[in-house]
Amino acid sequence: MTAAPYPVIRLRPKAEARAIRHGSPWAFEGEIVTDRRTRALLPGSIAVLEDAERAPLGLVAVNPKSRIMARMLDRDIHARIDGEWLASRIGHAFALRARLYDAPFYRLVHAEADGLPGVVIDRFGDVAVIQPNAAWAEALLPEMAAAVQSVTGVACVLKNASGRVRALEGLDDESGILAGVAPGGAVPVPMNGATYMADLLGGQKTGIFYDQRPNHAFAARLARGARVLDVFAHVGGFSLAALAGGAEGALAVDSAQPALDLAGEGAARSGVAERFAIRRGDAFEVMEALAAEGARFDVVICDPPAFAPSKPALEKGLRAYERVARLAAALVEPGGYLGLCSCSHAADLSRFRTACTRGIGRAGRAGQLIHTGFAGPDHPLHPSLAESGYLKALFYRL
């Protein structure tokens, strides 16, 4: 058997090789022998990872500048990481989404869980948006764009470089067009009976949050005939789904006027504009003002940004989630429903639930926890990577 055509890096003797053999996709800088040859590898290089006894563990993407120094790509050290390999991985991911969804609007690739570490690809009909959040993916971006086109048949592929983790990989923040012609404006996205408008070039992340789709659907079941408050609404995720589900009316609150404008356009496209209202402002201040005005709603849902994006931010983030719960609970009619969400992987389900329950209690309310939701199946979990299970949604009846 011929030798693998890649350089070799090695785990330190005290590193936990068994975890990698059993599926862990990462090796950190402190676990790898960093001699001069290893430090000289360019970010995004492909290498063979060996344990301390020189037994091969697989092919990894290496970035000496990143805390995550090696990301597992393939257990076969004789694989070639090229366009054909990328097309195979993307094809495997595409087969799952084609089985799950009737329309081509979904997360096509969910990073490590789909075997493409650090890579997020969302599909919007004839357009795909790639977030290459690891150096190896940036280096192979032309091949990746071509593979996406060959597998899915999309006409346009965009690069979104807004991911926070790109800076940790030493990557730039320059987005652009990788193939085809970019859409001339926001793109309509059908979900849960509503039409959302996604800004694929200038919006948050890739333009829309597909991960909340099943939680939007659950909220819509609660919203029939109800007055709904959607806080941290972005482009109207929960409010538009609630209106499609028969809500009497919905108020969307967000600090970003462009997002609210897209929400309004989505309401018009969905035929529910007369039941939809917006209020721009800081979410905490708006909730306090609504309480002072005596406003009450049958359903209140809060989907804030990640207050605890990392372990150092955990305690502060949990206090913020508690405050959200306290302010939101005060706005719910007796017998009404409260939905609270977190996309912070550092705040696990138990801690998030504790913070929410404490906030509800501090508002002088009592609640039944009726449903716990997670990301949709186009956001699969990597069994050995807790970070891939970041999204939590708790629904209470107060």
Side-chain angles (χ1 to χ4, degrees), residues 321-333:
Y321 287 124
E322 181 181 326
R323 186 182 176 205
V324 167
R326 175 174 59 81
L327 294 174
L331 298 171
V332 180
E333 287 279 17

Side-chain angles (χ1 to χ4, degrees), residues 285-343:
E285 294 175 1
V286 171
M287 284 194 284
E288 289 173 341
L290 287 169
E293 294 163 16
R296 296 294 181 271
F297 301 85
D298 304 301
V299 178
V300 176
I301 299 159
C302 299
D303 183 17
F307 288 143
S310 61
K311 287 183 179 178
L314 178 58
E315 292 307 318
K316 183 179 179 181
L318 290 173
R319 288 194 297 273
Y321 287 124
E322 181 181 326
R323 186 182 176 205
V324 167
R326 175 174 59 81
L327 294 174
L331 298 171
V332 180
E333 287 279 17
Y337 299 92
L338 174 62
L340 299 167
C341 307
S342 167
C343 58

Side-chain angles (χ1 to χ4, degrees), residues 96-122:
L96 171 64
R97 280 68 179 184
R99 183 174 289 269
L100 290 170
Y101 300 104
D102 295 330
F105 296 87
Y106 42 68
R107 172 146 296 181
L108 174 62
V109 168
H110 192 51
E112 278 77 357
D114 279 305
L116 291 168
V119 178
V120 167
I121 306 176
D122 283 348

Side-chain angles (χ1 to χ4, degrees), residues 164-302:
R164 181 182 63 89
V165 296
R166 283 180 59 84
L168 303 178
E169 287 276 305
L171 301 174
D172 62 41
D173 59 356
E174 295 181 16
S175 300
I177 302 168
L178 300 174
V181 179
V187 173
V189 178
M191 285 195 298
N192 291 318
T195 298
Y196 298 86
M197 302 306 296
D199 181 355
L200 305 188
L201 290 172
Q204 290 185 42
K205 303 294 185 182
T206 60
I208 209 162
F209 299 117
Y210 282 131
D211 52 2
Q212 286 282 23
R213 181 175 355 211
N215 300 317
H216 292 162
F218 183 81
R221 291 169 59 190
L222 303 175
R224 192 176 298 111
R227 294 159 298 152
V228 176
L229 176 64
D230 179 10
V231 186
F232 306 98
H234 189 227
V235 296
F238 281 99
S239 43
L240 296 187
L243 291 168
E248 177 186 303
L251 173 62
V253 175
D254 202 276
S255 61
Q257 189 62 47
L260 290 174
D261 291 342
L262 289 172
E265 187 178 345
R269 294 248 191 161
S270 302
V272 298
E274 73 285 353
R275 293 184 280 137
F276 180 71
I278 63 172
R279 187 155 170 171
R280 182 187 177 191
D282 174 83
F284 295 100
E285 294 175 1
V286 171
M287 284 194 284
E288 289 173 341
L290 287 169
E293 294 163 16
R296 296 294 181 271
F297 301 85
D298 304 301
V299 178
V300 176
I301 299 159
C302 299

Side-chain angles (χ1 to χ4, degrees), residues 10-13 15-27 31 49-60 72 74-77 382 384:
R10 190 166 295 117
L11 291 179
R12 294 178 183 271
E16 186 52 80
R18 183 184 303 175
I20 294 175
R21 283 200 182 88
H22 291 174
S24 179
W26 294 346
E31 298 177 301
L49 178 64
E50 294 181 345
D51 65 15
E53 283 72 46
R54 306 201 174 199
L57 297 168
L59 287 183
V60 293
M72 184 61 67
D74 202 307
R75 300 286 166 174
D76 178 7
I77 65 168
H382 189 295
S384 300

